[in-house]
Amino acid sequence: MFDTIKSRGLVLLGCGKMGSAMLEGWLKQGLPAASVWVKDPFPSDWLKAQGVHLNEALPESPALVLVAVKPQMMEEALPVLKTYGNGDTIFLSVAAGTTIAHYENVLGAQTPVIRSIPNTPAAIGRGITGLIGNSHIDEAGLQLAENLLSAIGQTVRLDNEGQMDAVTAMSGSGPAYVFHLIEAMAAAGEAQGLSPELSMALAKATVGGAGQLAEDSAETPTQLRINVTSPNGTTQAALEVLMDDTRGFPVLMRDAVDAATKRSKELGA
């Protein structure tokens, strides 16, 4: 899995929460710390203890550069790596809002670039990352990127870069929707007389367990919903509210994802 990186090296530009989660996964899977160079102006104590090349001179021709800096730092950080452009070093971006065209403009039009969008469950190895490469990325390059991204969860390939805004709205922003669902469920439980602690415990476990069941089950979420809905029972009573065509989940979620998609397009313009 890491043969190319072991021989040529990997550069990690930025090592905040996402970069650290990925690096931790790679090291656990056997990537030698000596094969990793990290550029980060404010390294954490954890990073300092990993034995990687931290803020040292970079290798001559690394196999891959992972760009994990915040978007507002991109203009300052990316030009430092321009010497790797138009070669066979792959640039894998996990930075939100930065298009493939931007990387090509800064690094060179022939630079192999993969754009991806992970989400925050990557911190516990349960993320999902959508990715798309430019015309200079071959199958081996995509496989390398997927192998690296698998350290933080699942991967899906996109058909075109235009899908990235919708993916950002769905999975990138999606964890916040689920966290808000937990908040709302807990508040509803309190309104029915439960203590805040008990209501929150029930909400967290219910959402977490249902999500795991939906992911692991061979049945669709629709069928799982039907399975738990007894005719004229408590679940049906609740679903008649939640599934209302005018004020229920379907219209709220459609509007929420649409708003996030539009905002993603604005930020990337």
Side-chain angles (χ1 to χ4, degrees):
M1 173 178 173
F2 294 124
D3 290 346
T4 303
I5 291 174
K6 287 178 182 178
S7 62
R8 295 177 54 189
L10 180 150
V11 173
L12 182 52
L13 184 63
C15 198
K17 290 182 179 180
M18 189 64 68
S20 294
M22 297 180 75
L23 177 59
E24 183 177 8
W26 301 335
L27 297 177
K28 286 180 178 178
Q29 292 178 21
L31 178 64
S35 298
V36 180
W37 279 257
V38 178
K39 284 290 185 182
D40 192 296
F42 306 108
S44 65
D45 291 339
W46 175 86
L47 179 58
K48 293 175 184 177
Q50 299 311 304
V52 299
H53 300 277
L54 181 57
N55 294 325
E56 299 177 7
L58 298 178
E60 182 177 343
S61 179
L64 185 140
V65 174
L66 178 74
V67 182
V69 298
K70 296 183 182 300
Q72 58 266 32
M73 299 173 60
M74 192 69 69
E75 287 191 17
E76 179 181 350
L78 197 57
V80 175
L81 304 175
K82 192 172 182 179
T83 55
Y84 296 148
N86 291 329
D88 61 355
T89 295
I90 295 171
F91 280 78
L92 171 60
S93 170
V94 296
T98 305
T99 65
I100 288 175
H102 180 78
Y103 287 100
E104 293 173 341
N105 289 338
V106 174
L107 301 168
Q110 306 302 311
T111 303
V113 179
I114 297 174
R115 183 182 175 191
S116 68
I117 180 71
N119 60 3
T120 54
I124 58 168
R126 294 293 308 277
I128 186 164
T129 304
L131 69 156
I132 183 78
N134 67 1
S135 60
H136 305 294
I137 290 291
D138 58 14
E139 178 61 26
L142 284 172
Q143 287 281 357
L144 176 60
E146 288 182 320
N147 288 340
L148 290 171
L149 292 167
S150 69
I152 55 171
Q154 303 176 49
T155 63
V156 290
R157 296 188 187 185
L158 307 186
D159 296 325
N160 58 74
E161 192 178 4
Q163 295 178 316
M164 192 63 73
D165 296 307
V167 172
T168 299
M170 279 286 294
S171 60
S173 299
Y177 314 156
V178 178
F179 300 148
H180 185 52
L181 171 62
I182 294 171
E183 291 177 311
M185 286 180 66
E190 288 185 54
Q192 296 302 317
L194 300 179
S195 70
E197 296 77 15
L198 175 57
S199 194
M200 181 58 75
L202 290 169
K204 283 183 177 179
T206 299
V207 172
Q212 188 68 63
L213 178 59
E215 191 166 12
D216 293 348
S217 177
E219 295 182 308
T220 65
T222 298
Q223 186 59 51
L224 292 172
R225 171 178 55 76
I226 292 171
N227 293 348
V228 78
T229 307
S230 300
N232 299 315
T234 58
T235 307
Q236 181 176 326
L239 289 176
E240 286 175 355
V241 176
L242 294 175
M243 298 177 70
D244 185 270
D245 289 338
T246 58
R247 64 189 184 101
F249 269 178
V251 66
L252 286 174
M253 189 56 66
R254 186 168 57 248
D255 289 349
V257 172
D258 182 61
T261 301
K262 288 177 178 175
R263 184 58 179 152
S264 178
K265 290 178 179 178
E266 291 170 359
L267 293 173

Short mmCIF file of all heavy atoms in Angstrom, two decimals, residues 59-95:
data_model
loop_
_atom_site.label_atom_id
_atom_site.label_comp_id
_atom_site.label_asym_id
_atom_site.label_seq_id
_atom_site.Cartn_x
_atom_site.Cartn_y
_atom_site.Cartn_z
N PRO A 59 11.58 16.59 0.57
CA PRO A 59 12.21 15.67 -0.39
C PRO A 59 12.16 16.24 -1.81
O PRO A 59 11.34 17.10 -2.12
CB PRO A 59 11.37 14.40 -0.26
CG PRO A 59 10.05 14.87 0.24
CD PRO A 59 10.35 16.02 1.14
N GLU A 60 13.02 15.72 -2.67
CA GLU A 60 13.15 16.27 -4.02
C GLU A 60 11.92 16.02 -4.88
O GLU A 60 11.47 16.91 -5.61
CB GLU A 60 14.38 15.66 -4.70
CG GLU A 60 14.64 16.20 -6.09
CD GLU A 60 15.90 15.63 -6.70
OE1 GLU A 60 16.74 15.08 -5.96
OE2 GLU A 60 16.07 15.73 -7.94
N SER A 61 11.37 14.81 -4.80
CA SER A 61 10.24 14.47 -5.66
C SER A 61 9.30 13.52 -4.93
O SER A 61 9.28 12.31 -5.20
CB SER A 61 10.72 13.83 -6.97
OG SER A 61 9.64 13.48 -7.81
N PRO A 62 8.50 14.03 -4.00
CA PRO A 62 7.61 13.15 -3.23
C PRO A 62 6.55 12.51 -4.11
O PRO A 62 6.17 13.05 -5.15
CB PRO A 62 7.00 14.09 -2.20
CG PRO A 62 7.04 15.44 -2.86
CD PRO A 62 8.31 15.45 -3.65
N ALA A 63 6.06 11.36 -3.67
CA ALA A 63 4.99 10.68 -4.42
C ALA A 63 3.71 11.48 -4.36
O ALA A 63 2.95 11.53 -5.33
CB ALA A 63 4.78 9.28 -3.86
N LEU A 64 3.47 12.12 -3.21
CA LEU A 64 2.21 12.80 -3.02
C LEU A 64 2.35 13.94 -2.03
O LEU A 64 3.09 13.84 -1.06
CB LEU A 64 1.14 11.81 -2.54
CG LEU A 64 -0.30 12.31 -2.40
CD1 LEU A 64 -1.29 11.24 -2.88
CD2 LEU A 64 -0.61 12.66 -0.94
N VAL A 65 1.63 15.01 -2.30
CA VAL A 65 1.50 16.13 -1.36
C VAL A 65 0.04 16.20 -0.94
O VAL A 65 -0.85 16.35 -1.79
CB VAL A 65 1.92 17.47 -2.00
CG1 VAL A 65 1.62 18.63 -1.04
CG2 VAL A 65 3.40 17.45 -2.35
N LEU A 66 -0.21 16.08 0.35
CA LEU A 66 -1.56 16.24 0.87
C LEU A 66 -1.73 17.68 1.35
O LEU A 66 -1.02 18.13 2.25
CB LEU A 66 -1.81 15.28 2.03
CG LEU A 66 -3.20 15.42 2.66
CD1 LEU A 66 -4.26 14.81 1.75
CD2 LEU A 66 -3.27 14.78 4.03
N VAL A 67 -2.65 18.39 0.75
CA VAL A 67 -2.90 19.79 1.11
C VAL A 67 -4.06 19.82 2.10
O VAL A 67 -5.21 19.55 1.74
CB VAL A 67 -3.24 20.64 -0.13
CG1 VAL A 67 -3.44 22.10 0.27
CG2 VAL A 67 -2.12 20.52 -1.17
N ALA A 68 -3.75 20.14 3.36
CA ALA A 68 -4.76 20.12 4.41
C ALA A 68 -4.78 21.42 5.20
O ALA A 68 -5.10 21.43 6.39
CB ALA A 68 -4.50 18.93 5.35
N VAL A 69 -4.43 22.52 4.54
CA VAL A 69 -4.46 23.82 5.21
C VAL A 69 -5.85 24.43 5.09
O VAL A 69 -6.64 24.06 4.23
CB VAL A 69 -3.41 24.79 4.62
CG1 VAL A 69 -2.02 24.24 4.81
CG2 VAL A 69 -3.69 25.05 3.15
N LYS A 70 -6.14 25.39 5.94
CA LYS A 70 -7.42 26.10 5.87
C LYS A 70 -7.43 26.96 4.60
O LYS A 70 -6.38 27.44 4.15
CB LYS A 70 -7.61 26.97 7.11
CG LYS A 70 -7.71 26.18 8.41
CD LYS A 70 -7.97 27.08 9.59
CE LYS A 70 -8.01 26.30 10.88
NZ LYS A 70 -9.07 25.26 10.88
N PRO A 71 -8.61 27.14 3.99
CA PRO A 71 -8.70 27.88 2.74
C PRO A 71 -8.06 29.27 2.80
O PRO A 71 -7.44 29.70 1.83
CB PRO A 71 -10.21 27.98 2.51
CG PRO A 71 -10.78 26.80 3.20
CD PRO A 71 -9.92 26.58 4.41
N GLN A 72 -8.18 29.94 3.93
CA GLN A 72 -7.62 31.29 4.05
C GLN A 72 -6.09 31.30 4.07
O GLN A 72 -5.47 32.34 3.89
CB GLN A 72 -8.17 32.01 5.28
CG GLN A 72 -7.92 31.32 6.60
CD GLN A 72 -9.08 30.42 7.01
OE1 GLN A 72 -9.75 29.86 6.16
NE2 GLN A 72 -9.33 30.31 8.32
N MET A 73 -5.48 30.13 4.28
CA MET A 73 -4.02 30.02 4.30
C MET A 73 -3.46 29.55 2.97
O MET A 73 -2.25 29.49 2.79
CB MET A 73 -3.58 29.06 5.41
CG MET A 73 -3.98 29.48 6.81
SD MET A 73 -3.61 28.20 8.04
CE MET A 73 -1.82 28.05 7.85
N MET A 74 -4.35 29.21 2.02
CA MET A 74 -3.94 28.58 0.79
C MET A 74 -3.01 29.47 -0.05
O MET A 74 -2.00 28.99 -0.58
CB MET A 74 -5.18 28.22 -0.03
CG MET A 74 -4.89 27.31 -1.21
SD MET A 74 -4.41 25.64 -0.71
CE MET A 74 -5.97 25.03 -0.06
N GLU A 75 -3.33 30.75 -0.18
CA GLU A 75 -2.53 31.62 -1.05
C GLU A 75 -1.10 31.74 -0.57
O GLU A 75 -0.19 31.87 -1.38
CB GLU A 75 -3.19 33.01 -1.11
CG GLU A 75 -4.45 33.05 -1.94
CD GLU A 75 -4.92 34.46 -2.21
OE1 GLU A 75 -4.11 35.39 -2.05
OE2 GLU A 75 -6.10 34.62 -2.59
N GLU A 76 -0.90 31.66 0.73
CA GLU A 76 0.45 31.76 1.27
C GLU A 76 1.19 30.43 1.23
O GLU A 76 2.38 30.38 0.95
CB GLU A 76 0.39 32.26 2.72
CG GLU A 76 1.75 32.38 3.40
CD GLU A 76 1.64 32.85 4.83
OE1 GLU A 76 0.54 33.26 5.26
OE2 GLU A 76 2.66 32.80 5.55
N ALA A 77 0.48 29.35 1.49
CA ALA A 77 1.13 28.05 1.65
C ALA A 77 1.42 27.33 0.34
O ALA A 77 2.49 26.72 0.18
CB ALA A 77 0.25 27.17 2.54
N LEU A 78 0.50 27.39 -0.62
CA LEU A 78 0.63 26.58 -1.82
C LEU A 78 1.81 26.95 -2.72
O LEU A 78 2.50 26.06 -3.23
CB LEU A 78 -0.69 26.63 -2.61
CG LEU A 78 -0.89 25.55 -3.66
CD1 LEU A 78 -0.80 24.18 -3.04
CD2 LEU A 78 -2.26 25.74 -4.33
N PRO A 79 2.10 28.24 -2.95
CA PRO A 79 3.21 28.57 -3.84
C PRO A 79 4.57 28.01 -3.40
O PRO A 79 5.47 27.84 -4.23
CB PRO A 79 3.23 30.11 -3.82
CG PRO A 79 1.81 30.48 -3.53
CD PRO A 79 1.35 29.45 -2.55
N VAL A 80 4.71 27.69 -2.12
CA VAL A 80 5.95 27.12 -1.62
C VAL A 80 6.25 25.78 -2.30
O VAL A 80 7.41 25.38 -2.43
CB VAL A 80 5.86 26.92 -0.08
CG1 VAL A 80 7.08 26.21 0.46
CG2 VAL A 80 5.67 28.27 0.61
N LEU A 81 5.20 25.11 -2.77
CA LEU A 81 5.35 23.78 -3.36
C LEU A 81 5.33 23.79 -4.89
O LEU A 81 5.21 22.76 -5.53
CB LEU A 81 4.24 22.87 -2.84
CG LEU A 81 4.15 22.72 -1.33
CD1 LEU A 81 2.94 21.91 -0.94
CD2 LEU A 81 5.41 22.10 -0.76
N LYS A 82 5.48 24.98 -5.46
CA LYS A 82 5.36 25.12 -6.90
C LYS A 82 6.40 24.31 -7.67
O LYS A 82 6.17 23.89 -8.81
CB LYS A 82 5.46 26.60 -7.28
CG LYS A 82 5.06 26.90 -8.71
CD LYS A 82 4.98 28.40 -8.98
CE LYS A 82 4.53 28.68 -10.40
NZ LYS A 82 4.42 30.14 -10.67
N THR A 83 7.54 24.05 -7.04
CA THR A 83 8.59 23.27 -7.72
C THR A 83 8.14 21.84 -8.02
O THR A 83 8.72 21.17 -8.87
CB THR A 83 9.87 23.22 -6.87
OG1 THR A 83 9.55 22.71 -5.57
CG2 THR A 83 10.48 24.61 -6.74
N TYR A 84 7.11 21.36 -7.32
CA TYR A 84 6.59 20.02 -7.56
C TYR A 84 5.56 19.98 -8.69
O TYR A 84 5.12 18.90 -9.10
CB TYR A 84 5.93 19.45 -6.30
CG TYR A 84 6.87 19.24 -5.13
CD1 TYR A 84 6.40 19.39 -3.84
CD2 TYR A 84 8.19 18.87 -5.31
CE1 TYR A 84 7.22 19.19 -2.75
CE2 TYR A 84 9.03 18.66 -4.23
CZ TYR A 84 8.54 18.82 -2.95
OH TYR A 84 9.37 18.61 -1.87
N GLY A 85 5.15 21.14 -9.19
CA GLY A 85 4.13 21.20 -10.21
C GLY A 85 4.62 20.71 -11.56
O GLY A 85 5.83 20.66 -11.83
N ASN A 86 3.67 20.31 -12.40
CA ASN A 86 3.96 19.84 -13.78
C ASN A 86 4.86 18.63 -13.80
O ASN A 86 5.56 18.38 -14.80
CB ASN A 86 4.59 20.97 -14.62
CG ASN A 86 3.60 22.08 -14.92
OD1 ASN A 86 2.41 21.85 -15.04
ND2 ASN A 86 4.11 23.31 -15.04
N GLY A 87 4.86 17.85 -12.72
CA GLY A 87 5.67 16.63 -12.66
C GLY A 87 4.78 15.43 -12.37
O GLY A 87 3.61 15.39 -12.75
N ASP A 88 5.36 14.45 -11.68
CA ASP A 88 4.58 13.25 -11.34
C ASP A 88 4.20 13.20 -9.87
O ASP A 88 3.71 12.17 -9.39
CB ASP A 88 5.31 11.98 -11.76
CG ASP A 88 6.66 11.82 -11.05
OD1 ASP A 88 7.06 12.73 -10.30
OD2 ASP A 88 7.29 10.77 -11.26
N THR A 89 4.45 14.28 -9.14
CA THR A 89 3.96 14.37 -7.76
C THR A 89 2.47 14.66 -7.78
O THR A 89 2.02 15.62 -8.41
CB THR A 89 4.70 15.48 -6.99
OG1 THR A 89 6.09 15.13 -6.85
CG2 THR A 89 4.10 15.66 -5.59
N ILE A 90 1.70 13.84 -7.07
CA ILE A 90 0.26 14.02 -7.00
C ILE A 90 -0.08 14.99 -5.87
O ILE A 90 0.44 14.86 -4.76
CB ILE A 90 -0.44 12.67 -6.75
CG1 ILE A 90 -0.23 11.73 -7.93
CG2 ILE A 90 -1.93 12.87 -6.48
CD1 ILE A 90 -0.70 10.30 -7.67
N PHE A 91 -0.94 15.94 -6.15
CA PHE A 91 -1.46 16.84 -5.13
C PHE A 91 -2.87 16.39 -4.77
O PHE A 91 -3.76 16.37 -5.61
CB PHE A 91 -1.49 18.29 -5.63
CG PHE A 91 -0.14 18.96 -5.56
CD1 PHE A 91 0.82 18.69 -6.52
CD2 PHE A 91 0.16 19.84 -4.54
CE1 PHE A 91 2.07 19.29 -6.45
CE2 PHE A 91 1.40 20.45 -4.46
CZ PHE A 91 2.37 20.18 -5.42
N LEU A 92 -3.03 15.99 -3.52
CA LEU A 92 -4.32 15.55 -3.00
C LEU A 92 -4.82 16.60 -2.02
O LEU A 92 -4.22 16.82 -0.97
CB LEU A 92 -4.19 14.19 -2.31
CG LEU A 92 -5.41 13.68 -1.54
CD1 LEU A 92 -6.62 13.53 -2.45
CD2 LEU A 92 -5.09 12.35 -0.85
N SER A 93 -5.92 17.25 -2.36
CA SER A 93 -6.45 18.33 -1.52
C SER A 93 -7.63 17.85 -0.69
O SER A 93 -8.55 17.21 -1.20
CB SER A 93 -6.90 19.50 -2.40
OG SER A 93 -7.62 20.44 -1.63
N VAL A 94 -7.60 18.15 0.60
CA VAL A 94 -8.76 17.96 1.46
C VAL A 94 -9.25 19.31 1.97
O VAL A 94 -9.99 19.40 2.94
CB VAL A 94 -8.44 17.02 2.65
CG1 VAL A 94 -8.09 15.63 2.17
CG2 VAL A 94 -7.32 17.58 3.53
N ALA A 95 -8.80 20.37 1.29
CA ALA A 95 -9.18 21.74 1.67
C ALA A 95 -10.49 22.12 1.00
O ALA A 95 -10.66 21.95 -0.21
CB ALA A 95 -8.08 22.72 1.27
#
